[in-house]
Amino acid sequence: MKYLFHFGRYLSMLRQAFQRPQKQSIYFRQILVEMEKLGLASVGIVAIISVFMGAVLAIQMAFNIDTPLIPSYTIGFVTRQSVELEFSPTIISLILAGKVGSRIASELGTMRVTEQIDALEIMGINPAAFLILPKIVASMIINPFLIAMSMLLAVGGGWIAGIFTGLFPSSEYIYGIQSFFHLYDIFYAFVKTVVFAFLIASVSAYNGYYTKGGALEVGEASTNGVVYSSISIIFMNLVLTQILLA
Amino acid sequence: MIEGKNISKSFGDRPVLENVSVILVKGQTNLIIGQSGMGKTVLLKCLVGLLVADQGQVFYDGREFSKMSFNEMKEIRQEIGMLFQGGALFDSLTVEENVMFPLSMFTEQTLPEKLERANFCLSRVNLENANKLYPSELSGGMKKRVAIARAISMNPRYLFCDEPNSGLDPPTAHLIDELIREITLEYNMTTVVVTHDMNSVLEIGEKVYFIYKGKIWWEGDKNNILQTDNPELQEFVFTSELTKKLRPVKRG
Ligand SMILES: Nc1ncnc2c1ncn2[C@@H]1O[C@H](COP(=O)(O)OP(=O)(O)OP(=O)(O)O)[C@@H](O)[C@H]1O
Ligand SMILES: [Mg+2]
């Protein structure tokens, strides 16, 4: 019952948000501002996590296939597949849900409890369209770039790991990451990324937008924003994988 | 003129307003007074549609506001200036950006034009040299003054002020009262001021509603409020040592 209520209100928030904006020029500027706040600010953390996770994936793979029956270029191939199909689109999206989601929820929550959202409304501005839509659009534009960067850096991280540990030859790894390449996998990864970006921005915005109370509740909204956007990512991951890969 | 008819509002099973009717006249300052927690802010929010009343109607110059959809409300709202009790300034914008914000959203003015208007509004609230500061860098009273400047930047037809001079020193409070009265006359606005400051009541109370226990307990103006024989209003009016001296001597 409670979930139905929230889902209904979430949809009605989205309906309000997807309305023709008051003034196009301001709206486009808002998108750029959000792209910087939500995207550029995440480049560092995404880069670090990707390089290290790629390295770990490759090293684990090298230990696991410690038999001459399996060619060592498999390490490159499997690392690339894991990164491209799951690690970058899903795990990095979950990281972004933590970083970006809490930011969106607490920003909107604070605006709500300090009556800034009421102030927008009283001016005759649609607060949902003004505040939420640019965040959703900005995330859907910038996240694919972050994920693409993550893929490259993670695969690169695996290569560096090989050089430093000497567990597998660099040339084999490079051969591996180029083999059995399917464009469809990339398509699958980016569809997931875009859907997850939408979920991160909209679900955490929902949690912030309807905050009631004070500073305490803003903190709660921020936590809930992360929790529920993560859960929705995990759930949609299953659904999309069924639809796109089955 | 703004007319509120039989407005009732409760939160849960706790009634805050019961059948409140007010007529807020154009070109004069209408005051809503009452003790803390009596529902003044709730009434204001019902009038501007931020809270949906359980019952009752609101008319803006004959247009039935309470029946309108969000998009229809937009038009009237662009004619409303509102000062929130807590200021409600946009944290991410500087003082001048806050004041220019409505202009950027609703007019095609160039930046110099908007700046000029913003500076004019800021000078009217006696706030110069704070243009580039962010709300977090302002004192409480400065925030209030910026919020007033933002509320009047679009030359609203309807001005709502929730405690415009709480937290201000007496000279500044006086200045804000003067400003509110001046612009009300100058632009023939319908102005509604919520306050519990007796100084303001005696200065600008051209029409005064006293709210008590969710009802309009008394209505009048600054000229007859001191002669009231309503015990609850007397208690409200004659609390301070200064006003006690103004209390009419009981005859009989
Ligand atoms: N959103 C809300 N949810 C529940 N109760 C509320 C809400 N807003 C106001 N109230 C209650 O309504 C009553 C009136 O509140 P209101 O803010 O209108 O008081 P006020 O007259 O403006 O007081 P003050 O002078 O202190 O600002 C209070 O008892 C308050 O607890
Ligand atoms: Mg109040």
Side-chain angles (χ1 to χ4, degrees), chain B residues 45-71:
Chain B
K45 287 191 174 171
C46 287
L47 288 174
V48 297
L50 283 176
L51 285 173
V52 181
D54 304 333
Q55 179 205 312
Q57 297 157 292
V58 180
F59 296 90
Y60 279 71
D61 289 314
R63 299 172 282 182
E64 186 169 1
F65 187 65
S66 37
K67 272 228 183 87
M68 292 181 179
S69 70
F70 184 87
N71 281 325

Side-chain angles (χ1 to χ4, degrees), chain B residues 131-148:
Chain B
N131 286 35
K132 301 284 178 215
L133 298 180
Y134 283 91
S136 59
E137 301 168 315
L138 302 177
S139 74
M142 286 162 90
K143 281 184 197 157
K144 199 128 239 182
R145 284 183 280 159
V146 177
I148 294 174

Side-chain angles (χ1 to χ4, degrees), chain A residues 42-58 79 83 87-89 91-93 95 146-158 173:
Chain A
S42 308
V43 167
I45 186 166
V46 168
I48 291 172
I49 292 176
S50 300
V51 171
F52 279 82
M53 286 297 284
V56 170
L57 275 174
T79 302
V83 161
F87 168 71
S88 287
I91 305 297
I92 293 295
S93 288
I95 304 275
L146 288 172
I147 301 304
M149 179 191 82
S150 161
M151 288 177 178
L152 293 177
L153 288 177
V155 170
Y173 183 83

Side-chain angles (χ1 to χ4, degrees), chain B residues 24-249:
Chain B
L24 307 157
V25 184
K26 201 190 195 90
Q28 75 177 31
T29 41
N30 304 272
L31 267 54
I32 297 171
I33 62 172
Q35 288 163 22
S36 181
M38 282 299 167
K40 303 182 297 295
T41 301
V42 171
L43 175 58
L44 213 57
K45 287 191 174 171
C46 287
L47 288 174
V48 297
L50 283 176
L51 285 173
V52 181
D54 304 333
Q55 179 205 312
Q57 297 157 292
V58 180
F59 296 90
Y60 279 71
D61 289 314
R63 299 172 282 182
E64 186 169 1
F65 187 65
S66 37
K67 272 228 183 87
M68 292 181 179
S69 70
F70 184 87
N71 281 325
E72 293 169 315
M73 279 186 179
K74 258 194 216 161
E75 264 174 50
I76 291 188
R77 283 189 163 154
Q78 286 170 27
E79 305 170 344
I80 294 180
M82 179 154 174
L83 165 69
F84 286 82
Q85 195 165 354
L89 296 175
F90 302 124
D91 292 326
S92 55
L93 304 180
T94 62
V95 165
E96 66 183 18
E97 285 167 348
N98 261 285
V99 181
M100 288 191 298
F101 182 84
L103 304 172
S104 307
M105 289 305 289
F106 297 112
T107 71
E108 298 299 328
Q109 292 181 6
T110 60
L111 186 64
E113 285 169 337
K114 288 187 284 189
L115 267 176
E116 193 190 327
R117 176 71 191 161
N119 284 326
F120 172 74
C121 294
L122 286 167
S123 72
R124 294 207 70 164
V125 293
N126 251 2
L127 199 71
E128 274 120 359
N129 311 319
N131 286 35
K132 301 284 178 215
L133 298 180
Y134 283 91
S136 59
E137 301 168 315
L138 302 177
S139 74
M142 286 162 90
K143 281 184 197 157
K144 199 128 239 182
R145 284 183 280 159
V146 177
I148 294 174
R150 185 179 69 183
I152 62 174
S153 67
M154 289 277 284
N155 262 335
R157 271 175 78 176
Y158 312 100
L159 180 65
F160 294 86
C161 299
D162 198 346
E163 307 202 359
N165 49 21
S166 65
L168 297 178
D169 56 282
T172 311
H174 179 78
L175 180 109
I176 296 297
D177 282 343
E178 284 291 289
L179 168 69
I180 289 174
R181 184 165 53 190
E182 250 175 60
I183 56 176
T184 301
L185 276 179
E186 208 173 311
Y187 302 108
N188 199 21
M189 291 195 255
T190 307
T191 301
V192 188
V193 179
V194 167
T195 185
H196 29 56
D197 178 15
M198 274 312 292
N199 277 325
S200 306
V201 174
L202 295 177
E203 268 175 50
I204 60 172
E206 294 175 288
K207 173 86 202 184
V208 179
Y209 289 97
F210 175 63
I211 295 198
Y212 186 76
K213 290 201 170 154
K215 298 197 171 64
I216 299 290
W217 210 250
W218 181 88
E219 56 179 284
D221 60 47
K222 62 180 174 183
N223 300 315
N224 59 18
I225 195 167
L226 292 177
Q227 281 80 48
T228 178
D229 49 12
N230 183 316
E232 286 79 18
L233 181 59
Q234 280 189 339
E235 194 192 333
F236 180 87
V237 173
F238 302 111
T239 313
S240 77
E241 287 305 314
L242 194 67
T243 45
K244 266 180 196 157
K245 297 196 166 68
L246 296 170
R247 190 169 193 154
V249 199

Side-chain angles (χ1 to χ4, degrees), chain A residues 67-87:
Chain A
T67 150
L69 292 177
I70 304 174
S72 64
Y73 73 80
T74 312
I75 297 166
F77 167 68
V78 174
T79 302
R80 189 205 70 209
Q81 283 300 90
S82 325
V83 161
E84 172 191 296
L85 292 177
E86 208 49 37
F87 168 71

